[in-house]
Amino acid sequence: MEARILFVAPFASLAKLAEEVVLERFTNSANLIKVVKGDLQECIAIVKQAVEDGVEVIISRGGTATLIKNSVNIPTVHIQVTVMDVLRALRNCGEYPEKIGIAGFENVIYGCEDLATLLGITFVEIALKNEGEALEKITAAVQNGVELIIGDAISTKLAARVGVQGALIQSGKEAIYKAINEAELIARIRREEQEKSELLCTVIDTSVEGIIATDINDRITIFNPMAEKFFQVSHLEAIGNQLQAVIPQFSLQGNDDFTEKMADVQRISDKTLTIKHSQIKVKDEVIGSIYNFQHVSQLQQLEQNVRKKLHAKGLVAKTKMTDIVGSSSACSVLKRKATKYALTQSTILITGESGTGKEMLVQSIHNVSARANGPFVAVNCAAFPESLLESELFGYAEGAFTGAKKGGRQGLFELAHGGTLFLDEIGEMPLSLQSRLLRVLQEKAIMHLGGESVIPVDVRIIAATNQNLAQLIDEKNFRQDLYYRLNILRIHMPTLGERIEDIPLLAKEMIKKMNHINGKITGIHVEAREYLKQRDWPGNIRQLANTMERAMLLANGPTITKQDIIEAYDEKGESIGESDRGKSKTKDSLATVEYDTLLRVLGEEEYNYSRAAARLGIHRTTLWRKLNSKVAKK
């Protein structure tokens, strides 16, 4: 780790003393403190290089400290000269005259008049503002009867030139210790403020809302990327200019409450935007404003998706264990393990690639369990924004937030009371909600958002993920304690590649279920079945189902042929899944086709991930993951 504090000593003895203090009192942070010797101009090059290397605070003394402070734009801590330092300098002189000059910058001579009274001598203060005036002032003092000059390194050198004795005021360990302590405090505060600033910038820049901040004079101070997209204006053009000048169509006129109650909908250019306004206050003094902009269609789509996903699931598990098709060893082990686990009340974690049928297995487990007559509630943790997911899981009290339903609302934990709650894509759950979920698992009780009372719940949790939770834990994106709470019983869903012998059975079952597509299809040719077993299925059962649906539409006769499967399988983009299996050139080329298709649809939807994902028939997070994994591979 690079040094964060640079100690610049004007003379060698001070450098040596500083090194001793660091070793004696700052053992744990010694590698963050660098001591160098350098006086005045000779140290500037060292200091500037250190600043480039990441030094955050500089410590020095006297004129050297003042020069450094004026040369670089980071905090400089002055080593304060104490009365003890002055006494040590006098003692080193042995006999000293009655009239003594004490020369140096303000931090050297400040308070010396009290010491003069105690010792019964006369101190002549020679205050220096810069090195250029030192010789003139010291010469004048000597001409007025000063016989001894004590002070900093500059002053003592010049004393010898004008023919009088000079005594260097050397800082003691206590002064050095105080200076380093102060520097560490400053460095820590600067680092904390920098982290807060970076966090704030990241939140603002990655927000799906347009964010504009203004000062008290309505001049723009923040203009995030989404605001650039909404208003087609670069932040370089916007920042520093009046909000009204940058967005002439935007107006606060006609709504007296808007400036205080943050609610408005406006038509700006060709977009209808919801606008939220908040005042920025410091100790009740208004210093500016923040405006949040969101496209109305985004809110409408979000609400529509939320309602659709919640009501489509219902509270009933439709799949039974006998509905899981397969006679392979992997499938048999899976069903046997699931049946035994279902008879317990323990939490189950189901892992496996996307498209392997995790939700079917969860519903089957519920229907085998003692909770089969209770509700089955499923929620996709990746389908909701954090604030909405929290209210859906735990419910909310009346008045918990603007727009909250009168009387409040039950959460999914309460709806699942006496039954099973299925948390799909648990790896996408925000960290803040992971903490609340862990508490529910421990306490078996929930509290409404904005509520004050604890509500007991009897719910069996089954979670599923297609992600590597251990890796998410290492990346600090998943709580380790929650992982161990969920991973009491574990079932891994095999891929189609691990249960190849089940593929013909699955294909036959799919033909039955999709009979409405082409009622003339009665079966599948043996060559077609063998061809299905030879292909890679990175999209697993979901990909196989898509292929069979197309094959049924393409088939001319009552039996699906190998050629029908070839044509259905080779349709562009179909053979691409979320698995990393398969190393053929065909797969690589199809991966490129898929990536290009995703980008094209995203562009057509004006980079609205929700609308693009809806068109593609995948989750918004899946779309994001596919695009980013492709970029990472490049």
Side-chain angles (χ1 to χ4, degrees):
M1 185 180 294
E2 295 290 341
R4 294 181 187 170
I5 298 172
L6 180 67
F7 191 109
V8 181
F11 40 89
S13 58
L14 180 61
K16 182 180 178 182
L17 203 61
E19 289 172 348
E20 291 176 4
V21 172
V22 170
L23 291 175
E24 292 170 1
R25 304 303 299 273
F26 298 92
T27 307
N28 294 335
S29 56
N31 62 319
L32 302 179
I33 305 169
K34 183 179 181 181
V35 179
V36 297
K37 179 189 174 300
D39 188 13
L40 295 173
Q41 296 296 337
E42 68 181 6
C43 74
I44 295 303
I46 298 173
V47 168
K48 289 184 176 179
Q49 182 59 52
V51 172
E52 289 183 13
D53 292 341
V55 161
E56 298 171 357
V57 186
I58 296 173
I59 305 171
S60 194
R61 206 189 85 154
T64 303
T66 301
L67 184 62
I68 291 172
K69 184 177 181 180
N70 295 332
S71 301
V72 294
N73 190 29
I74 65 170
T76 301
V77 175
H78 288 251
I79 301 172
Q80 297 299 319
V81 174
T82 66
V83 171
M84 289 298 297
D85 296 332
V86 176
L87 286 174
R88 274 194 291 266
L90 289 175
R91 186 187 65 184
N92 291 337
C93 295
E95 295 286 336
Y96 50 84
E98 292 185 2
K99 196 170 186 180
I100 300 170
I102 181 164
F105 292 81
E106 185 179 355
N107 73 307
V108 176
I109 66 175
Y110 179 73
C112 285
E113 62 272 13
D114 294 334
L115 182 60
T117 303
L118 290 172
L119 296 179
I121 59 177
T122 301
F123 271 133
V124 176
E125 293 185 358
I126 308 171
L128 305 178
K129 293 183 179 178
N130 56 66
E131 185 181 4
E133 66 180 16
L135 181 59
E136 180 183 347
K137 287 193 173 184
I138 290 174
T139 300
V142 172
Q143 290 172 351
N144 288 327
V146 169
E147 301 176 54
L148 171 65
I149 299 289
I150 64 172
D152 58 16
I154 303 169
S155 306
T156 54
K157 288 178 183 177
L158 293 175
R161 286 178 58 182
V162 297
V164 296
Q165 183 182 2
L168 178 65
I169 298 177
Q170 300 199 51
S171 296
K173 286 187 174 182
E174 68 280 2
I176 295 171
Y177 174 74
K178 288 179 181 178
I180 296 177
N181 251 341
E182 182 180 347
E184 280 198 328
L185 176 62
I186 293 171
R188 184 167 66 252
I189 292 173
R190 278 172 58 88
R191 180 58 59 94
E192 290 173 356
E193 290 301 317
Q194 185 179 7
E195 289 176 357
K196 289 178 183 177
S197 176
E198 291 296 330
L199 174 62
L200 179 61
C201 287
T202 301
V203 170
I204 290 172
D205 289 346
T206 59
S207 174
V208 295
E209 295 183 352
I211 299 176
I212 299 176
T214 61
D215 61 18
I216 194 64
N217 298 314
D218 276 339
R219 292 190 179 277
I220 296 173
T221 56
I222 294 175
F223 202 83
N224 81 334
M226 191 56 72
E228 291 180 314
K229 179 183 175 183
F230 279 157
F231 304 114
Q232 297 298 300
V233 176
S234 166
H235 71 280
L236 298 174
E237 301 173 59
I239 292 177
N241 293 314
Q242 291 281 337
L243 176 60
Q244 200 69 48
V246 175
I247 313 173
Q249 309 98 315
F250 174 57
S251 174
L252 297 179
Q253 304 297 324
N255 189 343
D256 296 334
D257 294 333
F258 179 54
T259 54
E260 297 179 2
K261 294 187 178 180
M262 67 172 213
D264 200 13
V265 176
Q266 291 186 22
R267 183 77 179 175
I268 300 178
S269 297
D270 60 341
K271 302 176 182 70
T272 302
L273 304 174
T274 61
I275 305 168
K276 297 178 183 178
H277 169 251
S278 302
Q279 292 179 329
I280 306 171
K281 295 183 179 180
V282 175
K283 294 184 177 179
D284 295 328
E285 179 186 354
V286 177
I287 62 168
S289 295
I290 286 189
Y291 302 91
N292 297 72
F293 300 83
Q294 196 166 9
H295 204 295
V296 168
S297 64
Q298 287 179 281
L299 294 174
Q300 292 171 337
Q301 185 69 42
L302 176 62
E303 183 179 3
Q304 191 177 41
N305 288 344
V306 168
R307 300 301 173 197
K308 186 186 297 182
K309 289 177 184 298
L310 279 179
H311 294 292
K313 299 284 184 181
L315 300 177
V316 179
K318 299 176 181 178
T319 305
K320 297 179 173 58
M321 199 66 72
T322 53
D323 295 329
I324 298 178
V325 177
S327 59
S328 66
S329 174
C331 189
S332 298
V333 169
L334 168 76
K335 288 190 281 189
R336 185 169 64 253
K337 184 183 289 188
T339 302
K340 287 187 176 181
Y341 287 177
L343 301 177
T344 73
Q345 296 297 319
S346 300
T347 301
I348 300 175
L349 177 63
I350 298 177
T351 60
E353 293 182 6
S354 179
T356 50
K358 293 188 286 294
E359 182 162 352
M360 286 185 65
L361 181 65
V362 175
Q363 292 189 25
S364 302
I365 290 172
H366 172 78
N367 283 327
V368 172
S369 74
R371 297 173 177 266
N373 294 326
F376 175 82
V377 180
V379 60
N380 189 314
C381 298
F384 303 93
E386 179 177 347
S387 57
L388 189 54
L389 179 60
E390 183 177 21
S391 64
E392 292 297 337
L393 284 174
F394 305 107
Y396 56 81
E398 182 176 347
F401 50 84
T402 303
K405 183 179 177 182
K406 186 176 181 180
R409 182 179 174 183
Q410 281 188 321
L412 297 182
F413 270 97
E414 290 171 271
L415 289 177
H417 182 71
T420 302
L421 178 60
F422 173 41
L423 299 176
D424 197 9
E425 295 199 51
I426 188 70
E428 301 287 349
M429 179 175 282
L431 280 169
S432 59
L433 292 192
Q434 292 178 28
S435 301
R436 289 201 65 177
L437 175 60
L438 178 63
R439 187 166 184 83
V440 173
L441 291 174
Q442 292 171 336
E443 306 294 338
K444 301 188 184 306
I446 58 105
M447 183 181 290
H448 284 165
L449 190 64
E452 297 178 353
S453 58
V454 174
I455 303 169
V457 287
D458 174 24
V459 177
R460 201 255 185 96
I461 298 292
I462 302 179
T465 182
N466 59 9
Q467 299 192 65
N468 186 332
L469 294 186
Q471 183 178 342
L472 292 181
I473 291 170
D474 291 339
E475 295 169 354
K476 308 299 183 186
N477 289 324
F478 201 85
R479 292 180 63 104
Q480 188 176 46
D481 44 4
L482 176 60
Y483 172 75
Y484 288 122
R485 275 282 178 178
L486 295 173
N487 194 29
I488 296 174
L489 302 177
R490 181 168 182 161
I491 301 174
H492 182 74
M493 296 293 295
T495 63
L496 275 186
E498 294 169 326
R499 44 182 298 204
I500 294 174
E501 54 266 54
D502 290 335
I503 293 177
L505 295 174
L506 288 166
K508 183 178 178 181
E509 185 65 23
M510 289 170 184
I511 291 173
K512 289 181 183 179
K513 288 185 177 180
M514 295 187 288
N515 186 257
H516 61 282
I517 294 175
N518 185 347
K520 297 179 181 179
I521 301 297
T522 59
I524 180 171
H525 196 276
V526 63
E527 289 184 356
R529 291 199 298 268
E530 288 303 312
Y531 181 79
L532 288 174
K533 291 166 65 175
Q534 294 168 10
R535 304 309 301 170
D536 286 329
W537 299 100
N540 294 295
I541 296 174
R542 188 180 296 129
Q543 182 188 356
L544 177 62
N546 292 343
T547 300
M548 292 307 301
E549 182 175 349
R550 286 196 292 271
M552 291 179 72
L553 290 170
L554 292 169
N556 293 319
T559 303
I560 295 175
T561 66
K562 178 180 177 181
Q563 186 59 37
D564 295 332
I565 297 294
I566 291 173
E567 292 180 17
Y569 182 90
D570 283 347
E571 184 167 322
K572 290 184 178 179
E574 174 53 27
S575 64
I576 304 301
E578 293 176 350
S579 171
D580 290 329
R581 295 179 297 108
K583 301 179 181 178
S584 67
K585 293 182 180 179
T586 302
K587 183 177 176 183
D588 290 341
S589 62
L590 288 171
T592 302
V593 171
E594 182 195 48
Y595 179 70
D596 292 342
T597 302
L598 297 180
L599 277 184
R600 176 177 56 77
V601 173
L602 189 59
E604 290 172 357
E605 294 297 333
E606 297 182 341
Y607 292 89
N608 183 307
Y609 277 73
S610 297
R611 292 202 301 268
R615 273 185 59 186
L616 293 162
I618 59 178
H619 291 304
R620 184 179 184 277
T621 50
T622 302
L623 171 59
W624 180 89
R625 194 183 306 120
K626 282 174 175 286
L627 289 171
N628 280 273
S629 74
K630 180 69 176 177
V631 170
K633 289 177 181 177
K634 287 184 175 182

